[in-house]
């Protein structure tokens, strides 16, 4: 069973998942602070390069399996045209003004 993006608890994470699934790079990046950092499988990555390659340049799509930590932690069946489908964990740090300052992803 998957959760529709509209069912996600945190509005910022909900908007991020919705933007990723729509392939809307502008909307997704607008949700990030100017200094957002991220990691993939425990290694920090260049945010712009990683999102271009792993999400927007390869038709990334997030099917959310579950959420926890007030909507800031997701288990996602993630797919893109480069790697196919994989079960991943995502954790988001959301600022008080409603933007993502860090996200971490990796194999679940």
């Amino acid at each position: 069973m998957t959760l529709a993006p509209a069912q996600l608890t945190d509005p910022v994470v909900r908007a991020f998942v919705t933007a990723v699934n729509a392939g809307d790079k502008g909307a997704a990046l607008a949700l990030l602070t100017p200094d957002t950092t991220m990691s993939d499988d425990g290694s920090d990555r260049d945010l712009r390069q990683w999102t271009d390659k792993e999400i927007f340049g390869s038709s990334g799509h997030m099917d959310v399996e579950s959420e926890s930590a007030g909507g800031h932690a997701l288990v996602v069946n993630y797919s893109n045209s480069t790697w196919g489908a994989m079960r991943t964990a995502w954790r988001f740090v959301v600022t008080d003004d409603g933007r993502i300052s860090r996200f971490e992803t990796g194999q679940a």
Side-chain angles (χ1 to χ4, degrees):
M1 179 178 146
T2 60
L3 296 171
Q7 295 175 287
L8 298 176
T9 303
D10 186 272
V12 179
V13 173
R14 179 186 327 126
F16 183 82
V17 172
T18 299
V20 166
N21 288 351
D24 191 338
K25 180 179 179 178
L29 295 181
L31 295 165
L32 307 179
T33 63
D35 58 349
T36 295
T37 59
M38 63 86 50
S39 70
D40 183 5
D41 284 328
S43 297
D44 278 5
R45 307 286 184 184
D46 178 275
L47 175 79
R48 302 288 178 172
Q49 185 178 52
W50 189 90
T51 56
D52 283 348
K53 179 181 177 193
E54 300 294 339
I55 297 176
F56 302 107
S58 59
S59 303
H61 189 85
M62 303 173 81
D63 287 319
V64 180
E65 185 179 301
S66 64
E67 70 171 356
S68 59
H72 293 163
L74 307 176
V75 175
V76 173
N77 291 311
Y78 186 77
S79 61
N80 67 26
S81 61
T82 303
W83 306 106
M86 64 198 90
R87 190 166 185 257
T88 57
W90 293 69
R91 180 167 290 278
F92 297 89
V93 177
V94 177
T95 63
D96 290 340
D97 65 347
R99 297 178 78 193
I100 296 167
S101 63
R102 180 166 177 82
F103 69 89
E104 301 171 350
T105 186
Q107 296 288 327

